[in-house]
Amino acid sequence: MAMPVYLGLVHYPIYNKNNEIVTTAITNFDIHDIARTARTYNVLKYFIIHPLEAQKALAEEIISYWQEGYGGQYNPDRKEALSIVEVIPDIAAAVDYITAKEGKPPIIVTTDARKYDNTVSYAKLRQQLSDTDRPCLLLFGTGWGLENSVMKQFDYILEPIYGPGNYNHLPVRAAVAIILDRLLGEYWWKNT
């Protein structure tokens, strides 16, 4: 049986393009598009991780419109996708939620465009998702990625996504879709 998978989009501590540590803003597209992708791949909860109350209120207003307002009546598919979204202040809150829900702490995996000592392949993590009974928290950073000392606290860091050229700066929404498909999608290559 596959382990339960949770997803978190982290907005602090994040690097900006000048390598300064900042808090990034929540975007409407990240709320909607990542929720839809996460729901497609049976992710149990999509945490928007942000420490600022003003940003949390903005995200909750958007989510509420699609859950309780006219948006949910107009677009039931969007309502279903956003039903798994929760705004929380930090990564520790996500770990606490998962531990309480699942009865054991999650394996924490994050992503980056760089390699680290604990970088793991998609094939290895996909196998582990099938073999272990611990839940998994899959974290994505915004901006130019999670701060290095935070990255080193996690169990694994997925290998970077490479295209055929030298350019490597995917939007987080695209990275989420690619990574969830690699880890949780159908084995399309076995059917050819």
Side-chain angles (χ1 to χ4, degrees):
M1 178 169 117
M3 76 167 77
V5 176
Y6 296 81
L7 189 148
L9 183 64
V10 183
H11 292 83
Y12 176 82
I14 298 296
Y15 288 115
N16 68 11
K17 66 182 177 180
N18 299 318
N19 211 34
E20 301 163 322
I21 298 172
V22 299
T23 303
T24 57
I26 293 174
T27 72
N28 195 10
F29 286 123
D30 288 347
I31 295 170
H32 290 269
D33 292 350
I34 293 174
R36 291 164 58 196
T37 302
R39 182 67 189 93
T40 297
Y41 286 93
N42 292 327
V43 168
L44 296 177
K45 185 68 74 176
Y46 163 33
F47 299 106
I48 297 173
I49 301 171
H50 205 293
L52 302 178
E53 283 300 319
Q55 288 285 297
K56 179 180 178 188
L58 172 67
E60 288 174 344
E61 183 177 339
I62 293 167
I63 295 163
S64 177
Y65 173 77
W66 292 99
Q67 291 295 293
E68 300 153 10
Y70 175 71
Q73 296 170 12
Y74 176 75
N75 190 335
D77 286 340
R78 187 71 49 96
K79 179 178 182 174
E80 181 179 348
L82 289 168
S83 71
I84 66 168
V85 180
E86 185 165 338
V87 185
I88 58 174
D90 53 37
I91 296 167
V95 171
D96 291 346
Y97 176 97
I98 296 166
T99 303
K101 179 95 172 144
E102 302 293 335
K104 53 188 86 168
I107 296 168
I108 303 174
V109 180
T110 192
T111 60
D112 201 276
R114 300 162 293 214
K115 288 192 173 185
Y116 294 81
D117 291 340
N118 58 343
T119 294
V120 64
S121 72
Y122 292 94
K124 182 176 178 181
L125 186 60
R126 186 177 177 117
Q127 185 63 50
Q128 186 164 358
L129 289 170
S130 296
D131 292 346
T132 188
D133 64 347
R134 282 181 61 198
C136 177
L137 173 57
L138 186 57
L139 296 173
F140 292 85
T142 53
W144 270 255
L146 283 160
E147 191 270 328
N148 285 336
S149 69
V150 174
M151 294 287 287
K152 293 176 183 177
Q153 298 173 26
F154 304 130
D155 297 301
Y156 300 110
I157 300 169
L158 278 168
E159 62 191 357
I161 299 169
Y162 294 113
N166 294 339
Y167 186 84
N168 186 14
H169 192 81
L170 285 170
V172 70
R173 294 178 302 281
V176 167
I178 292 166
I179 289 170
L180 287 180
D181 191 63
R182 286 181 179 181
L183 295 176
L184 305 173
E186 66 179 329
Y187 288 96
W188 57 267
W189 61 92
K190 292 185 177 182
N191 298 325
T192 58

